[in-house]
């Protein structure tokens, strides 16, 4: 649906703003529509903004945006897009779910930016659909919705559902939609106005490549790091890592010291702790389940390592009170 030229112009789009929404994801989605109108000389798209309480919504960077239509406005629209960002997995506002189900019954195309897939999933609107979400939220989403097919793609368009990873991925998704609906030439003109030199497709990676991200290009070191990232739940030994990369353990130690200024064991531990932090912040998994998912054999050992690295316990990370004497992490 979203890939086809609309039968009626302008195509009416409504953006539902959720508290702490990502401003860059929102503006990267709405600005291509404005420029598509300008470059085509036609009103191809119109848009409105809505919030659950008809009040301005604070973005994650602290800038409020005011709605332009009322929550209960009866006017119909062709496309509805949920805009969220931080803490979307904690959002329990049933008014949003009711609104989404209502517009779905009207035959509306429904999409989400950044972490908005969490809200669509909670509303039951991603059952039997493929979706994507920001890479930082991917593990947490999988834990919360194991039955939903989620991919690491830049964006996903599945029939009348579309989701994107947020950030500038919103721009690429909307450029692809404009291209499908009104032709590649118009999409290219819009991209040129943004000085966006290439319209990425959905299969482009969300994250920077590992060499760019780490500032390292040594192939064997990168191979070891990839092995580590792929085996966080059941960590490999130093001997296994070295053998699989065709290195001796001494060579492995030297590479990590030279390029990353830490031992392989320390780097591996930091990877596991960073994954644990994301799971603590983005899921309702118990501390012991998070520990096991990140390769720790006990909650107490996990808690000590976590406190040493982040300066706070896993419970404190979640804003929970400290344990009393004799209590154990759950």
């Amino acid at each position: 649906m979203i890939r086809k030229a609309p039968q009626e112009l302008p195509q009416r789009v409504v953006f539902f703003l959720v508290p702490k929404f990502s401003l860059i994801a929102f503006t990267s989605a709405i600005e291509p529509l404005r420029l598509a109108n300008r470059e085509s000389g036609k009103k191809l798209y119109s848009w409105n903004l809505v919030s659950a309480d008809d009040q301005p919504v604070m973005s994650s960077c602290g800038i409020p945006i005011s709605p332009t239509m009322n929550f209960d406005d009866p006017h119909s629209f062709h496309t509805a897009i949920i805009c969220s960002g931080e803490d979307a997995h904690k959002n329990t506002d049933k008014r949003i779910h009711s609104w989404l189900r209502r517009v779905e019954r009207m035959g509306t195309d429904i999409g989400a930016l950044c972490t908005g897939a969490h809200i669509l999933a909670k509303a039951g609107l991603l059952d039997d659909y493929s979706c994507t979400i920001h890479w930082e939220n991917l593990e947490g989403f999988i834990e919360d919705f194991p039955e939903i097919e989620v991919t690491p793609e830049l964006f996903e368009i599945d029939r009348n559902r579309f989701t994107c990873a947020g950030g500038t991925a919103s721009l690429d998704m909307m450029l692809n939609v404009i291209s499908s609906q009104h032709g590649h030439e118009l999409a290219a003109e819009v991209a040129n106005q943004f000085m966006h030199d290439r319209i990425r497709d959905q299969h482009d990676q969300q994250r920077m490549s590992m060499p760019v991200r780490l500032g390292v290009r040594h192939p064997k070191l990168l191979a070891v790091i990839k092995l580590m990232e792929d085996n966080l739940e059941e960590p490999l030994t130093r001997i296994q890592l070295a053998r699989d990369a065709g290195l001796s353990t001494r060579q492995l130690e030297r590479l990590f010291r030279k390029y990353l200024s830490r031992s392989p064991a320390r780097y591996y531990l930091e990877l596991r702790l960073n994954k644990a932090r994301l799971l603590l912040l983005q899921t309702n998994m118990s501390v012991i389940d998070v520990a096991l998912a990140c390769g720790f054999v006990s909650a107490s050992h996990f808690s000590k390592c976590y406190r040493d690295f982040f300066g706070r316990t896993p419970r404190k990370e979640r804003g929970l009170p400290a344990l009393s004497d004799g209590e154990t992490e759950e």
Side-chain angles (χ1 to χ4, degrees), residues 87 103 147 200 248 286 307:
D87 297 335
V103 300
E147 73 285 357
R200 295 177 292 178
S248 69
S286 67
R307 183 178 62 249

Side-chain angles (χ1 to χ4, degrees), residues 164-301:
C164 82
T168 57
S170 299
L171 172 58
D172 292 286
M173 181 176 72
M174 297 310 283
L175 289 171
N176 275 269
V177 169
I178 291 167
S179 179
S180 295
Q181 294 182 343
H182 302 290
H184 176 75
E185 185 176 349
L186 177 59
E189 288 174 1
V190 172
N192 196 42
Q193 288 295 322
F194 285 118
M195 293 172 281
H196 192 58
D197 64 351
R198 182 174 72 88
I199 301 176
R200 295 177 292 178
D201 68 26
Q202 70 183 82
H203 303 303
D204 276 270
Q205 293 184 351
Q206 289 190 26
R207 303 183 71 183
M208 293 178 178
S209 66
M210 192 182 294
V212 174
R213 183 158 36 99
L214 299 177
V216 172
R217 294 193 176 276
H218 194 290
K220 291 194 173 182
L221 178 60
L222 293 174
V224 172
I225 294 172
K226 180 67 165 59
L227 280 170
M228 289 177 171
E229 291 183 345
D230 290 344
N231 293 276
L232 297 179
E233 187 169 351
E234 296 182 7
L236 302 175
T237 66
R238 186 180 60 162
I239 293 173
Q240 288 174 310
L241 291 169
R243 182 192 63 215
D244 289 351
L247 297 166
S248 69
T249 55
R250 182 174 294 181
Q251 288 173 321
L252 182 68
E253 289 282 345
R254 279 205 300 262
L255 281 176
F256 272 83
R257 293 289 183 187
K258 178 179 179 180
Y259 290 101
L260 298 172
S261 303
R262 49 172 74 74
S263 69
R266 181 63 188 180
Y267 188 85
Y268 209 169
L269 176 63
E270 290 176 8
L271 285 177
R272 291 156 56 207
L273 288 170
N274 280 312
K275 177 185 176 181
R277 183 172 183 270
L278 292 179
L279 292 177
L280 287 168
L281 293 174
Q282 298 171 10
T283 73
N284 294 318
M285 293 171 66
S286 67
V287 172
I288 185 59
D289 284 343
V290 170
L292 294 174
C294 298
F296 294 91
V297 296
S298 71
S300 58
H301 179 231

Side-chain angles (χ1 to χ4, degrees), residues 72-88:
D72 293 320
D73 196 315
H75 295 309
S76 64
F77 30 82
H78 302 106
T79 306
I81 302 176
I82 288 287
C83 306
S84 65
E86 293 182 5
D87 297 335

